[in-house]
Amino acid sequence: PKPKPARLRAGKGIRTEDEDDRVLYHAAVAGRLNHKDGTVSVDEVYTIRGNVSLETGNIKHTGALVVQGDVTEGATIECDGEIVIKGLVEPANITGGANLTVAGGIVGDPEHAITVAGDVQARYLNDVNLRCEGNVTVTSQIDHSEVLCCGRVEIPRGRIAGGKVMAYRGIQVGHAGSRGATGTTLIAGSDYRIEARQQAHRERMTKLQGAREQITDALAKTLAQGALDEARRKVVEHLKSKIVQIDEALKTQAEAQNRELEEAARGGVREVAVLLELWSGVTFRLGGSVAISDRSYDKPRLVTLRRDKVRILPMGEMNTPS
């Protein structure tokens, strides 16, 4: 789509200054820069010198957070700004309104989840349940995790083995699968948020259709009473106008549902670049097409769509990642 002019709003910790035909944005306080949804702000930084644990208590902060130690098992962090963790993360619940950077790795379990509105960077992800609206960059491995992101997953020298990784803007991985890993699924070009939004559309349409059926039944009963007096004539006109309104609402909902699907399909990158090694048994899902690697490859492969079918192609001059 044609790009739109950038429009920034000044948030907390920002002062503006008009200069000729420009607007200058200045940090009014010391802190960490945050740019989200068109608003630029400076978040107050809360620094924890050691670990976040049950002893220190759970953390809830409206600005940015820096943890100089580890996040231990069972802890909870809720932060509106950026989160930087200098150590590692054990199974914990983390909700971030911006980027999450972990110098070490992240270990999770089925009872804990991480939800981040920005990018995620970590050394490794083991058994992690992650939802991310930005990009995910990992150095070493993503092992038996469920990673759903709206951006791109990049682990160019590392491995994805076991679990499910879904990335709207495509996946770049060094090693896909492994000798002992089972159930490795890589999904590219799909937005994990779409299904929830589509379900909300379906629920609203079901309610509207139910209301339409009730009004239609009431209208039929009124008309079945024979000749209409003035009062019943007004009731009939009212019921008919309600039906017209509901039909318009149903049409609007259907258009919004289709538009959302079309926009999601246009923005997705349906390809997986395997830069070093692809093992047999890895499942690829690109759009509505699915394929399973039936052999192993020790050279770079590009998994992409050709004529609505998933193809595993040699990566070369004519087949390079988007």
mmCIF file of all heavy atoms in Angstrom, residues 188 269-273 284-291 301-322:
data_model
loop_
_atom_site.group_PDB
_atom_site.id
_atom_site.type_symbol
_atom_site.label_atom_id
_atom_site.label_comp_id
_atom_site.label_asym_id
_atom_site.label_seq_id
_atom_site.Cartn_x
_atom_site.Cartn_y
_atom_site.Cartn_z
ATOM 1 N N ALA A 188 4.271 -20.152 8.158
ATOM 2 C CA ALA A 188 4.689 -18.824 7.697
ATOM 3 C C ALA A 188 3.566 -18.151 6.914
ATOM 4 O O ALA A 188 2.866 -18.801 6.140
ATOM 5 C CB ALA A 188 5.939 -18.933 6.824
ATOM 6 N N VAL A 269 4.242 -13.196 4.621
ATOM 7 C CA VAL A 269 5.349 -13.750 3.823
ATOM 8 C C VAL A 269 5.325 -15.260 4.005
ATOM 9 O O VAL A 269 5.692 -15.778 5.064
ATOM 10 C CB VAL A 269 6.707 -13.171 4.257
ATOM 11 C CG1 VAL A 269 7.841 -13.818 3.471
ATOM 12 C CG2 VAL A 269 6.719 -11.658 4.077
ATOM 13 N N ARG A 270 4.898 -15.964 2.978
ATOM 14 C CA ARG A 270 4.698 -17.414 3.083
ATOM 15 C C ARG A 270 5.939 -18.164 2.610
ATOM 16 O O ARG A 270 5.939 -18.786 1.557
ATOM 17 C CB ARG A 270 3.463 -17.826 2.282
ATOM 18 C CG ARG A 270 2.176 -17.215 2.827
ATOM 19 C CD ARG A 270 0.972 -17.553 1.973
ATOM 20 N NE ARG A 270 -0.246 -17.000 2.537
ATOM 21 C CZ ARG A 270 -1.451 -17.098 1.959
ATOM 22 N NH1 ARG A 270 -1.562 -17.723 0.798
ATOM 23 N NH2 ARG A 270 -2.508 -16.582 2.540
ATOM 24 N N GLU A 271 6.987 -18.082 3.404
ATOM 25 C CA GLU A 271 8.192 -18.817 3.061
ATOM 26 C C GLU A 271 9.038 -19.050 4.311
ATOM 27 O O GLU A 271 9.018 -18.264 5.263
ATOM 28 C CB GLU A 271 9.010 -18.092 1.999
ATOM 29 C CG GLU A 271 9.579 -16.766 2.441
ATOM 30 C CD GLU A 271 10.399 -16.099 1.345
ATOM 31 O OE1 GLU A 271 10.126 -16.350 0.156
ATOM 32 O OE2 GLU A 271 11.312 -15.325 1.687
ATOM 33 N N VAL A 272 9.767 -20.164 4.278
ATOM 34 C CA VAL A 272 10.689 -20.523 5.351
ATOM 35 C C VAL A 272 12.057 -20.747 4.710
ATOM 36 O O VAL A 272 12.199 -21.594 3.819
ATOM 37 C CB VAL A 272 10.242 -21.793 6.103
ATOM 38 C CG1 VAL A 272 11.250 -22.160 7.188
ATOM 39 C CG2 VAL A 272 8.849 -21.605 6.693
ATOM 40 N N ALA A 273 13.058 -19.998 5.147
ATOM 41 C CA ALA A 273 14.421 -20.163 4.644
ATOM 42 C C ALA A 273 15.197 -21.023 5.631
ATOM 43 O O ALA A 273 15.399 -20.625 6.780
ATOM 44 C CB ALA A 273 15.094 -18.809 4.472
ATOM 45 N N PHE A 284 5.504 -28.161 7.244
ATOM 46 C CA PHE A 284 5.435 -26.764 6.831
ATOM 47 C C PHE A 284 3.996 -26.439 6.453
ATOM 48 O O PHE A 284 3.361 -27.196 5.712
ATOM 49 C CB PHE A 284 6.343 -26.493 5.633
ATOM 50 C CG PHE A 284 7.807 -26.706 5.919
ATOM 51 C CD1 PHE A 284 8.405 -27.925 5.629
ATOM 52 C CD2 PHE A 284 8.565 -25.701 6.478
ATOM 53 C CE1 PHE A 284 9.750 -28.127 5.884
ATOM 54 C CE2 PHE A 284 9.910 -25.887 6.736
ATOM 55 C CZ PHE A 284 10.509 -27.107 6.451
ATOM 56 N N ARG A 285 3.501 -25.293 6.941
ATOM 57 C CA ARG A 285 2.170 -24.827 6.550
ATOM 58 C C ARG A 285 2.298 -23.397 6.048
ATOM 59 O O ARG A 285 2.690 -22.502 6.776
ATOM 60 C CB ARG A 285 1.191 -24.893 7.719
ATOM 61 C CG ARG A 285 -0.262 -24.758 7.263
ATOM 62 C CD ARG A 285 -1.229 -24.998 8.392
ATOM 63 N NE ARG A 285 -1.510 -23.777 9.119
ATOM 64 C CZ ARG A 285 -1.947 -23.719 10.365
ATOM 65 N NH1 ARG A 285 -2.089 -24.838 11.044
ATOM 66 N NH2 ARG A 285 -2.198 -22.566 10.943
ATOM 67 N N LEU A 286 1.977 -23.216 4.780
ATOM 68 C CA LEU A 286 2.017 -21.908 4.149
ATOM 69 C C LEU A 286 0.629 -21.611 3.604
ATOM 70 O O LEU A 286 0.188 -22.239 2.642
ATOM 71 C CB LEU A 286 3.054 -21.873 3.020
ATOM 72 C CG LEU A 286 4.467 -22.391 3.350
ATOM 73 C CD1 LEU A 286 5.359 -22.301 2.125
ATOM 74 C CD2 LEU A 286 5.070 -21.643 4.515
ATOM 75 N N GLY A 287 -0.065 -20.677 4.249
ATOM 76 C CA GLY A 287 -1.447 -20.433 3.865
ATOM 77 C C GLY A 287 -2.279 -21.672 4.148
ATOM 78 O O GLY A 287 -2.218 -22.260 5.212
ATOM 79 N N GLY A 288 -3.046 -22.111 3.145
ATOM 80 C CA GLY A 288 -3.864 -23.304 3.316
ATOM 81 C C GLY A 288 -3.183 -24.582 2.865
ATOM 82 O O GLY A 288 -3.799 -25.649 2.867
ATOM 83 N N SER A 289 -1.912 -24.502 2.481
ATOM 84 C CA SER A 289 -1.194 -25.670 1.967
ATOM 85 C C SER A 289 -0.226 -26.207 3.017
ATOM 86 O O SER A 289 0.423 -25.443 3.729
ATOM 87 C CB SER A 289 -0.418 -25.306 0.697
ATOM 88 O OG SER A 289 -1.301 -24.820 -0.306
ATOM 89 N N VAL A 290 -0.141 -27.546 3.067
ATOM 90 C CA VAL A 290 0.699 -28.217 4.054
ATOM 91 C C VAL A 290 1.573 -29.249 3.355
ATOM 92 O O VAL A 290 1.141 -29.915 2.408
ATOM 93 C CB VAL A 290 -0.159 -28.915 5.140
ATOM 94 C CG1 VAL A 290 0.723 -29.634 6.156
ATOM 95 C CG2 VAL A 290 -1.058 -27.909 5.845
ATOM 96 N N ALA A 291 2.819 -29.364 3.821
ATOM 97 C CA ALA A 291 3.720 -30.392 3.302
ATOM 98 C C ALA A 291 4.641 -30.838 4.426
ATOM 99 O O ALA A 291 4.957 -30.070 5.333
ATOM 100 C CB ALA A 291 4.531 -29.873 2.119
ATOM 101 N N ARG A 301 17.785 -24.689 1.870
ATOM 102 C CA ARG A 301 16.532 -24.926 1.166
ATOM 103 C C ARG A 301 15.566 -23.776 1.445
ATOM 104 O O ARG A 301 15.525 -23.247 2.556
ATOM 105 C CB ARG A 301 15.888 -26.246 1.607
ATOM 106 C CG ARG A 301 16.617 -27.490 1.095
ATOM 107 C CD ARG A 301 16.508 -27.592 -0.405
ATOM 108 N NE ARG A 301 17.105 -28.788 -0.967
ATOM 109 C CZ ARG A 301 18.351 -28.890 -1.404
ATOM 110 N NH1 ARG A 301 19.155 -27.834 -1.298
ATOM 111 N NH2 ARG A 301 18.810 -30.004 -1.927
ATOM 112 N N LEU A 302 14.804 -23.419 0.417
ATOM 113 C CA LEU A 302 13.754 -22.419 0.551
ATOM 114 C C LEU A 302 12.415 -23.122 0.425
ATOM 115 O O LEU A 302 12.135 -23.753 -0.601
ATOM 116 C CB LEU A 302 13.885 -21.340 -0.521
ATOM 117 C CG LEU A 302 12.839 -20.218 -0.441
ATOM 118 C CD1 LEU A 302 13.046 -19.389 0.815
ATOM 119 C CD2 LEU A 302 12.895 -19.327 -1.680
ATOM 120 N N VAL A 303 11.618 -23.043 1.467
ATOM 121 C CA VAL A 303 10.281 -23.639 1.460
ATOM 122 C C VAL A 303 9.301 -22.519 1.122
ATOM 123 O O VAL A 303 9.164 -21.546 1.866
ATOM 124 C CB VAL A 303 9.943 -24.270 2.821
ATOM 125 C CG1 VAL A 303 8.595 -24.977 2.759
ATOM 126 C CG2 VAL A 303 11.042 -25.245 3.237
ATOM 127 N N THR A 304 8.637 -22.654 -0.020
ATOM 128 C CA THR A 304 7.788 -21.577 -0.507
ATOM 129 C C THR A 304 6.602 -22.151 -1.270
ATOM 130 O O THR A 304 6.494 -23.375 -1.457
ATOM 131 C CB THR A 304 8.608 -20.626 -1.411
ATOM 132 O OG1 THR A 304 7.811 -19.501 -1.766
ATOM 133 C CG2 THR A 304 9.085 -21.342 -2.661
ATOM 134 N N LEU A 305 5.700 -21.271 -1.701
ATOM 135 C CA LEU A 305 4.525 -21.683 -2.467
ATOM 136 C C LEU A 305 4.799 -21.550 -3.954
ATOM 137 O O LEU A 305 5.302 -20.526 -4.418
ATOM 138 C CB LEU A 305 3.310 -20.831 -2.096
ATOM 139 C CG LEU A 305 2.574 -21.157 -0.803
ATOM 140 C CD1 LEU A 305 1.423 -20.173 -0.611
ATOM 141 C CD2 LEU A 305 2.042 -22.582 -0.807
ATOM 142 N N ARG A 306 4.451 -22.590 -4.681
ATOM 143 C CA ARG A 306 4.474 -22.562 -6.142
ATOM 144 C C ARG A 306 3.177 -23.189 -6.628
ATOM 145 O O ARG A 306 2.912 -24.360 -6.365
ATOM 146 C CB ARG A 306 5.671 -23.336 -6.702
ATOM 147 C CG ARG A 306 7.032 -22.695 -6.422
ATOM 148 C CD ARG A 306 7.236 -21.437 -7.257
ATOM 149 N NE ARG A 306 8.606 -20.926 -7.152
ATOM 150 C CZ ARG A 306 9.027 -20.098 -6.216
ATOM 151 N NH1 ARG A 306 8.173 -19.680 -5.295
ATOM 152 N NH2 ARG A 306 10.278 -19.687 -6.186
ATOM 153 N N ARG A 307 2.335 -22.375 -7.287
ATOM 154 C CA ARG A 307 1.026 -22.841 -7.769
ATOM 155 C C ARG A 307 0.206 -23.444 -6.626
ATOM 156 O O ARG A 307 -0.383 -24.520 -6.751
ATOM 157 C CB ARG A 307 1.201 -23.856 -8.903
ATOM 158 C CG ARG A 307 1.877 -23.256 -10.139
ATOM 159 C CD ARG A 307 2.061 -24.296 -11.219
ATOM 160 N NE ARG A 307 2.728 -23.718 -12.384
ATOM 161 C CZ ARG A 307 3.073 -24.424 -13.464
ATOM 162 N NH1 ARG A 307 2.808 -25.731 -13.501
ATOM 163 N NH2 ARG A 307 3.675 -23.839 -14.467
ATOM 164 N N ASP A 308 0.184 -22.720 -5.505
ATOM 165 C CA ASP A 308 -0.604 -23.090 -4.327
ATOM 166 C C ASP A 308 -0.174 -24.407 -3.693
ATOM 167 O O ASP A 308 -0.947 -25.030 -2.968
ATOM 168 C CB ASP A 308 -2.103 -23.162 -4.671
ATOM 169 C CG ASP A 308 -2.662 -21.797 -5.035
ATOM 170 O OD1 ASP A 308 -2.166 -20.801 -4.467
ATOM 171 O OD2 ASP A 308 -3.565 -21.731 -5.878
ATOM 172 N N LYS A 309 1.039 -24.843 -3.960
ATOM 173 C CA LYS A 309 1.581 -26.031 -3.314
ATOM 174 C C LYS A 309 2.898 -25.690 -2.636
ATOM 175 O O LYS A 309 3.677 -24.874 -3.135
ATOM 176 C CB LYS A 309 1.790 -27.160 -4.326
ATOM 177 C CG LYS A 309 0.498 -27.774 -4.840
ATOM 178 C CD LYS A 309 0.790 -29.002 -5.695
ATOM 179 C CE LYS A 309 -0.525 -29.663 -6.167
ATOM 180 N NZ LYS A 309 -0.262 -30.881 -6.969
ATOM 181 N N VAL A 310 3.136 -26.318 -1.483
ATOM 182 C CA VAL A 310 4.386 -26.092 -0.767
ATOM 183 C C VAL A 310 5.507 -26.835 -1.473
ATOM 184 O O VAL A 310 5.415 -28.045 -1.704
ATOM 185 C CB VAL A 310 4.268 -26.562 0.696
ATOM 186 C CG1 VAL A 310 5.600 -26.377 1.423
ATOM 187 C CG2 VAL A 310 3.161 -25.799 1.419
ATOM 188 N N ARG A 311 6.562 -26.101 -1.814
ATOM 189 C CA ARG A 311 7.715 -26.701 -2.486
ATOM 190 C C ARG A 311 8.962 -26.490 -1.646
ATOM 191 O O ARG A 311 9.169 -25.414 -1.073
ATOM 192 C CB ARG A 311 7.927 -26.058 -3.858
ATOM 193 C CG ARG A 311 6.717 -26.088 -4.766
ATOM 194 C CD ARG A 311 6.380 -27.489 -5.221
ATOM 195 N NE ARG A 311 5.324 -27.470 -6.230
ATOM 196 C CZ ARG A 311 4.764 -28.563 -6.740
ATOM 197 N NH1 ARG A 311 5.179 -29.753 -6.328
ATOM 198 N NH2 ARG A 311 3.808 -28.470 -7.646
ATOM 199 N N ILE A 312 9.812 -27.506 -1.586
ATOM 200 C CA ILE A 312 11.108 -27.421 -0.919
ATOM 201 C C ILE A 312 12.160 -27.334 -2.020
ATOM 202 O O ILE A 312 12.440 -28.318 -2.705
ATOM 203 C CB ILE A 312 11.353 -28.633 -0.004
ATOM 204 C CG1 ILE A 312 10.256 -28.710 1.064
ATOM 205 C CG2 ILE A 312 12.727 -28.548 0.653
ATOM 206 C CD1 ILE A 312 10.338 -29.944 1.939
ATOM 207 N N LEU A 313 12.720 -26.135 -2.208
ATOM 208 C CA LEU A 313 13.567 -25.866 -3.364
ATOM 209 C C LEU A 313 15.010 -25.570 -2.930
ATOM 210 O O LEU A 313 15.240 -25.023 -1.840
ATOM 211 C CB LEU A 313 13.033 -24.656 -4.128
ATOM 212 C CG LEU A 313 11.563 -24.736 -4.587
ATOM 213 C CD1 LEU A 313 11.147 -23.409 -5.202
ATOM 214 C CD2 LEU A 313 11.358 -25.875 -5.571
ATOM 215 N N PRO A 314 15.977 -25.905 -3.773
ATOM 216 C CA PRO A 314 17.361 -25.485 -3.491
ATOM 217 C C PRO A 314 17.425 -23.962 -3.436
ATOM 218 O O PRO A 314 16.792 -23.279 -4.235
ATOM 219 C CB PRO A 314 18.151 -26.037 -4.673
ATOM 220 C CG PRO A 314 17.288 -27.108 -5.254
ATOM 221 C CD PRO A 314 15.879 -26.692 -5.016
ATOM 222 N N MET A 315 18.187 -23.457 -2.489
ATOM 223 C CA MET A 315 18.310 -22.012 -2.377
ATOM 224 C C MET A 315 19.472 -21.544 -3.228
ATOM 225 O O MET A 315 20.617 -21.954 -3.027
ATOM 226 C CB MET A 315 18.510 -21.604 -0.920
ATOM 227 C CG MET A 315 18.295 -20.112 -0.671
ATOM 228 S SD MET A 315 18.566 -19.651 1.044
ATOM 229 C CE MET A 315 17.328 -20.657 1.849
ATOM 230 N N GLY A 316 19.160 -20.711 -4.201
ATOM 231 C CA GLY A 316 20.190 -20.222 -5.101
ATOM 232 C C GLY A 316 19.821 -18.870 -5.647
ATOM 233 O O GLY A 316 19.023 -18.142 -5.059
ATOM 234 N N GLU A 317 20.359 -18.563 -6.797
ATOM 235 C CA GLU A 317 20.154 -17.235 -7.372
ATOM 236 C C GLU A 317 18.691 -16.963 -7.666
ATOM 237 O O GLU A 317 18.213 -15.836 -7.489
ATOM 238 C CB GLU A 317 20.976 -17.117 -8.652
ATOM 239 C CG GLU A 317 20.911 -15.726 -9.285
ATOM 240 C CD GLU A 317 21.783 -15.634 -10.517
ATOM 241 O OE1 GLU A 317 22.597 -16.540 -10.752
ATOM 242 O OE2 GLU A 317 21.655 -14.641 -11.241
ATOM 243 N N MET A 318 17.949 -17.977 -8.100
ATOM 244 C CA MET A 318 16.542 -17.770 -8.447
ATOM 245 C C MET A 318 15.610 -18.048 -7.282
ATOM 246 O O MET A 318 14.414 -17.797 -7.376
ATOM 247 C CB MET A 318 16.169 -18.698 -9.627
ATOM 248 C CG MET A 318 17.012 -18.475 -10.870
ATOM 249 S SD MET A 318 16.929 -16.756 -11.457
ATOM 250 C CE MET A 318 15.194 -16.658 -11.913
ATOM 251 N N ASN A 319 16.130 -18.594 -6.194
ATOM 252 C CA ASN A 319 15.303 -18.880 -5.012
ATOM 253 C C ASN A 319 16.010 -18.336 -3.781
ATOM 254 O O ASN A 319 16.789 -19.014 -3.141
ATOM 255 C CB ASN A 319 15.102 -20.392 -4.861
ATOM 256 C CG ASN A 319 14.225 -20.962 -5.945
ATOM 257 O OD1 ASN A 319 13.172 -20.439 -6.251
ATOM 258 N ND2 ASN A 319 14.683 -22.039 -6.559
ATOM 259 N N THR A 320 15.730 -17.088 -3.476
ATOM 260 C CA THR A 320 16.320 -16.465 -2.298
ATOM 261 C C THR A 320 15.199 -15.929 -1.416
ATOM 262 O O THR A 320 14.124 -15.588 -1.903
ATOM 263 C CB THR A 320 17.264 -15.311 -2.686
ATOM 264 O OG1 THR A 320 16.518 -14.372 -3.470
ATOM 265 C CG2 THR A 320 18.445 -15.820 -3.485
ATOM 266 N N PRO A 321 15.439 -15.837 -0.116
ATOM 267 C CA PRO A 321 14.380 -15.342 0.788
ATOM 268 C C PRO A 321 13.978 -13.917 0.437
ATOM 269 O O PRO A 321 14.806 -13.106 0.003
ATOM 270 C CB PRO A 321 15.042 -15.388 2.168
ATOM 271 C CG PRO A 321 16.160 -16.369 2.026
ATOM 272 C CD PRO A 321 16.634 -16.248 0.618
ATOM 273 N N SER A 322 12.689 -13.607 0.622
ATOM 274 C CA SER A 322 12.193 -12.257 0.343
ATOM 275 C C SER A 322 12.852 -11.256 1.286
ATOM 276 O O SER A 322 13.030 -11.562 2.462
ATOM 277 C CB SER A 322 10.681 -12.208 0.549
ATOM 278 O OG SER A 322 10.045 -13.054 -0.371
#
